[in-house]
């Protein structure tokens, strides 16, 4: 199942995306006599995702199409939600990127950082380049947490993951270059985190290791790699963070990038992942 947040009559509403159709949760509630939340974040918080997914798997295809609001391509997509409790990032996780930085591929813990929700944007929203900084963009697979958890092992992670999404992580490269200790500062500017437009449930991914992630600049795929080439695979990353803090529904974990691109005014940067819809953001100078 694919969830999204779409703008309808100036309000942001949760919807299921089925092939080329968009179905509002509000309309499903009305026809099916359900009482599911109509906000993606609240659906996650109240752990209703699995129940909605089970309905989606059972229901007749024609009923879904009868409920369709409009074709997916004509809908305005918004960020999946705007105020997650935590946004985590992982650095230098693909083996090729580790070698590029002459780092050790035998590290026992990942390079990690946090993003504030003030950095969050969604599909087609502009990335604003701070006047004082050179900025890079990085396409990454994002993991969305679906259940509260603490101190879990890797084999338990699939039970707490809601699904996956595209993410773009921006970095003020000049700040980080001055001193590696400034990594956190270089990550937290406004518009430095984009995600969406779909939350794709775990059962839609037949083999996570085969998922391919690309950083795309102005239509050209600059860096591409597959999840199997990560030094710290997704389930290990979730387990790692769960042993530091309690993970909550709606928390987002970026899993590292195959490579970054330097951004300039007028650019279009994208994160492309297999058959996920592309996450695409224009780049403008901050004024």
């Amino acid at each position: 199942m694919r969830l999204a947040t779409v703008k309808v009559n100036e309000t942001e509403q949760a919807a299921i995306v089925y092939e080329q159709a968009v179905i509002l949760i509000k309309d499903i509630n009305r026809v099916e006599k359900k009482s599911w939340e109509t906000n993606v974040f609240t659906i996650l918080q109240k752990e209703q995702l699995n129940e909605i997914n089970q309905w989606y798997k059972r229901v007749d295809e024609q009923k879904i199409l009868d409920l369709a609001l409009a074709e997916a391509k004509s809908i305005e997509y918004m960020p999946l939600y705007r105020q997650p409790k935590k946004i985590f990032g992982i650095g230098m996780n693909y083996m090729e990127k580790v070698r590029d930085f002459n780092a050790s591929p035998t590290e026992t813990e990942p390079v990690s950082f946090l993003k504030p929700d003030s950095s969050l944007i969604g599909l087609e929203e502009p990335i604003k380049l701070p006047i004082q900084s050179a900025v890079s963009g990085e396409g990454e697979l994002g993991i969305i947490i679906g259940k509260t958890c603490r101190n879990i092992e890797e084999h338990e992670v699939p039970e707490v993951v809601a699904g996956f999404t595209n993410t773009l992580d921006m970095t003020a490269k000049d700040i980080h270059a001055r001193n590696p200790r400034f990594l956190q500062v270089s990550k937290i500017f406004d518009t430095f985190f984009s995600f969406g437009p779909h939350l794709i449930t775990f059962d839609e991914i037949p083999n996570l290791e085969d998922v391919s992630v690309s950083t795309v600049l102005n239509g050209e795929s600059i860096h591409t790699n597959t999840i199997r080439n990560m030094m710290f695979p997704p389930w290990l990353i979730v387990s790692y963070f769960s042993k530091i803090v309690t993970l909550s529904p709606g928390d987002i974990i970026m899993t590292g990038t195959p490579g970054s691109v330097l951004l300039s005014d007028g650019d279009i940067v994208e994160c492309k992942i297999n058959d996920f819809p592309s996450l695409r953001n224009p780049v403008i100078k901050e004024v």
Side-chain angles (χ1 to χ4, degrees), residues 97 136-140 167-171 187 215 257 259-260:
K97 194 167 177 66
S136 67
E138 305 172 349
E140 308 191 19
T167 67
L168 282 165
D169 172 28
M170 274 57 72
T171 308
K187 297 284 189 178
T215 304
T257 184
S260 64

Side-chain angles (χ1 to χ4, degrees), residues 4-15 22 24 69 74-78 82:
T5 296
V6 299
K7 191 173 184 178
V8 180
N9 297 327
E10 300 305 314
T11 62
E12 297 182 8
Q13 300 187 44
V22 173
L24 296 179
L69 175 71
S74 67
I75 292 292
E76 183 178 1
Y77 289 90
M78 310 306 291
R82 296 184 179 275

